[in-house]
Amino acid sequence: QACAEYRQDPNQGDISGALLQRLIEWRDEAPHNHYWAIRYHAEQKKETDLYEHQAQYDDNMAHLARCIAASESRVKAQEEALVKETRQKQRALYRNIIIGVVAAALLVTGFLLWKVQSSLSELQEKQTEIDRLNSKEFLREAKVYIDAGQHRFAVESLKKAMEADAENQEARDSLAVFEQKIK
């Protein structure tokens, strides 16, 4: 009947769903051939041409096979679409994980660089303070040499004071004065 309806209106579509499943079960389980179809189909009882009955039966079975193939094709297309969608979701998940890991690594690296930079700044400040203290110590030493009349040693101590802290104005001025005295 479905095949006859399809012949009358091909736009109605293929047999599908539960009806198709029942027809597949019938085809696989019930014994049938064109003689069986003549027995149970009212239109075919009237006709006597066995070749025509055979052709109609074959056409019906071919239509059933086309409907099965179309259904399997739809199922396969749906499965492929589902697989494709799953792969896309997996790729997006992997991409997001990688982005998250890279972002976390960048944050940790940035934090570590900040800590290193702040520690380096502290060390530089401490080194500057040590250099100032050393410069003051060399300046005191130079004053002791000056008081003792040992101008050459005083000049060497003043030079060391300048090396330790180039911004020590007192050491610079004293060095200039004593370099003049030595000449």
Side-chain angles (χ1 to χ4, degrees), residues 163-183:
E163 287 175 10
D165 183 11
E167 295 177 13
N168 190 335
Q169 190 64 38
E170 185 181 354
R172 187 176 297 145
D173 294 341
S174 297
L175 181 61
V177 168
F178 282 101
E179 282 181 336
Q180 290 291 331
K181 283 186 180 182
I182 292 175
K183 291 183 184 178

Side-chain angles (χ1 to χ4, degrees), residues 114-152:
W114 174 78
K115 286 298 279 182
V116 166
Q117 186 65 30
S118 64
S119 296
L120 187 59
S121 295
E122 287 178 24
L123 284 174
Q124 286 174 340
E125 288 174 12
K126 288 180 182 182
Q127 184 62 45
T128 302
E129 185 60 32
I130 290 170
D131 290 343
R132 282 190 195 125
L133 291 173
N134 284 337
S135 179
K136 287 182 182 180
E137 187 60 34
F138 286 125
L139 190 57
R140 277 191 217 112
E141 186 180 283
K143 287 181 182 179
V144 170
Y145 286 132
I146 291 169
D147 290 342
Q150 297 179 351
H151 298 293
R152 288 198 187 277

Side-chain angles (χ1 to χ4, degrees), residues 28-104:
D28 294 342
E29 295 172 8
H32 56 85
N33 56 28
H34 69 281
Y35 295 111
W36 177 90
I38 293 171
R39 214 154 121 216
Y40 293 102
H41 199 279
E43 289 178 14
Q44 292 181 350
K45 286 181 183 178
K46 297 175 189 173
E47 299 173 7
T48 56
D49 186 5
L50 287 179
Y51 291 113
E52 191 175 316
H53 292 298
Q54 179 70 39
Q56 187 177 8
Y57 172 79
D58 292 342
D59 187 40
N60 289 343
M61 294 308 289
H63 180 68
L64 178 59
R66 279 192 307 274
C67 292
I68 291 170
S71 176
E72 289 172 351
S73 177
R74 281 191 303 275
V75 168
K76 185 176 179 182
Q78 288 171 346
E79 288 173 353
E80 288 173 356
L82 184 61
V83 166
K84 184 178 180 181
E85 181 182 346
T86 302
R87 283 185 186 145
Q88 287 175 340
K89 286 181 180 179
Q90 284 177 335
R91 286 184 193 125
L93 176 65
Y94 294 150
R95 183 182 62 243
N96 291 340
I97 288 171
I98 289 171
I99 288 170
V101 168
V102 168

